[in-house]
Structure formats: structure tokens, C-alpha cells
Amino acid sequence: DAGVIQSPRHEVTEMGQEVTLRCKPISGHDYLFWYRQTMMRGLELLIYFNNNVPIDDSGMPEDRFSAKMPNASFSTLKIQPSEPRDSAVYFCASKRGTDTQYFGPGTRLTVL
Amino acid sequence: AQSVTQPDIHITVSEGASLELRCNYSYGATPYLFWYVQSPGQGLQLLLKYFSGDTLVQGIKGFEAEFKRSQSSFNLRKPSVHWSDAAEYFCAVGFNNNDMRFGAGTRLTVKP
């Protein structure tokens, strides 16, 4: 299995621009999670989906952040407009049922 | 509210020495407990997990962890550290396998 795939691996953008991060979960997994990792706040859960439906988005920092999962094999996390404080590593993870979560390699976002 | 504390930000051990990384949690019931490892530029890899049963859990790469309810702890141990173990280690706690809270992490340096 290819594991969780995230793209891009690195993204550099300017403040005010729209940023879209992509995730392909492991085939057959019915849960998908988006996390953000920063030095200041550590690893935080932003949102998770079950069977493509958002279950808990209480960790989404503000309305500038949105996440979608149009089908079982694809999810996006969008930031619009982006701000320098959004700079972080964003991880996607997936799992099947009560199994453990498997993490992708992350997307390092830098907002100038 | 559930929380997890890793008291040691950075630990240095000599190769071949034993290792213990501390993790304490705060939660009203017995939570799900996890240890993940993150190598530089990589995603998180699960080392081991505890849901119930035997309080001494064996994981990958020679790691083990012991759940001690009386101390609200889930410390990670390895009898003999290898240079390749240098990484950041995260303890996580969750009341289910979806909503996990991660500790701040402990960075392990291995001296030759």
C-alpha cells in the first residue's frame, strides 16, 4: 500500500493568497483526519471525516479554513485568505474503523 | 478535559543505554494511549498503543510502554538505544480512537 499521500510536500505563498492542501487516504479507510503542527501549539486536530462526512470541525481555527471530502479517496484543506500565522506543517491521517491512524508525510506551508 | 504532558522536551542518551520517556495524562476514565515517533521531515509512525488488557505493551523497534493507572502514566522504554532511534516522540491520549490529544513531544538525541 502506498500509505497516505499528501500534496504538495512544500508550499510557499504570499499572505492573502488561497492555499489548497490535498490528501489521498489509504484505500479502504473510512476515517480521515487533518492536523496542524507548530512549534508553539504542537500537534492539533483540525477536523475529521467519517465516510466522507465531517464529524468534528471544532479544531478548525477560523472561517478562513475549510475542508472537504468529495469522495472516499480525496480530501482538501483550504485556507483563504492565508496569513503568516498559518505557517505550519499540515498532516493528513486515515484509519479504518477502530484501527489506529496512519499519518501522511505532511505539507510544510510557509506564508510570507 | 483530557490532556497529556510530556515533561521532558529534550533527552540525550548514549547509544546502547536504556531509555525512558515520560508521559502523564489527565482524563476521568481509562483513555486510549499511544506513542508515535516522528523522524525529521516525516510523518508520525505508531510505535504502540494501549486500549485495555495487559498494562505492558510491546511495540515496534524494540519499544515497550507500561500503563500505570495509579500514576496516570504511560512511559515509553527501550533497553538499548540505537543511533537510528534519534527522533521526536509523541505521546497521545484519546477517549476514543478519533479525538486524540498529543503531548508536546520529546526530542531524543543519541550520542555515539
Side-chain angles (χ1 to χ4, degrees):
Chain A
D1 198 315
V4 176
I5 298 173
Q6 291 187 247
S7 65
R9 293 295 309 274
H10 301 272
E11 176 81 38
V12 180
T13 190
E14 293 188 345
M15 183 174 63
Q17 296 298 306
E18 177 179 296
V19 175
T20 299
L21 311 181
R22 297 172 176 80
C23 175
K24 177 179 169 57
I26 295 172
S27 178
H29 283 194
D30 55 348
Y31 285 84
L32 183 140
F33 304 79
W34 282 102
Y35 291 87
R36 177 173 67 176
Q37 185 179 40
T38 62
M39 290 293 293
M40 292 297 296
R41 299 176 67 87
L43 196 62
E44 305 172 278
L45 175 66
L46 299 177
I47 185 172
Y48 77 90
F49 296 82
N50 178 217
N51 293 321
N52 314 336
V53 176
I55 303 301
D56 184 354
D57 65 353
S58 60
M60 296 286 264
E62 47 196 280
D63 292 345
R64 298 185 296 107
F65 286 69
S66 62
K68 294 182 179 179
M69 192 165 185
N71 57 63
S73 60
F74 184 65
S75 176
T76 59
L77 178 67
K78 186 175 294 186
I79 309 172
Q80 166 63 16
S82 59
E83 297 182 3
R85 61 195 169 113
D86 301 330
S87 297
V89 180
Y90 291 81
F91 288 102
C92 177
S94 71
K95 75 180 183 83
R96 172 164 46 206
T98 58
D99 196 5
T100 53
Q101 297 182 31
Y102 293 85
F103 283 74
T107 295
R108 181 173 295 277
L109 173 65
T110 302
V111 183
L112 303 174
Chain B
Q2 53 182 319
S3 65
V4 56
T5 302
Q6 293 180 248
D8 305 304
I9 295 174
H10 184 206
I11 283 182
T12 299
V13 299
S14 298
E15 190 168 16
S18 63
L19 171 70
E20 182 168 25
L21 302 182
R22 296 183 291 165
C23 174
N24 294 95
Y25 67 90
S26 172
Y27 184 62
T30 300
Y32 292 67
L33 296 161
F34 309 83
W35 274 100
Y36 284 85
V37 60
Q38 183 180 29
S39 297
Q42 302 297 314
L44 280 72
Q45 181 184 22
L46 180 70
L47 287 175
L48 48 79
K49 62 186 177 185
Y50 173 79
F51 287 179
S52 64
D54 192 344
T55 56
L56 185 61
V57 181
Q58 301 297 320
I60 62 171
K61 304 186 179 185
F63 286 92
E64 67 177 26
E66 186 171 12
F67 168 56
K68 292 186 177 180
R69 186 191 308 273
S70 61
Q71 299 176 18
S72 297
S73 68
F74 189 57
N75 294 349
L76 182 71
R77 300 193 294 251
K78 186 169 185 177
S80 178
V81 171
H82 188 262
W83 64 266
S84 60
D85 293 325
E88 185 130 21
Y89 291 80
F90 292 90
C91 181
V93 59
F95 63 88
N96 57 45
N97 196 18
N98 298 326
D99 189 4
M100 293 199 299
R101 297 288 185 263
F102 286 82
T106 298
R107 183 161 59 92
L108 174 65
T109 298
V110 180
K111 293 190 303 184

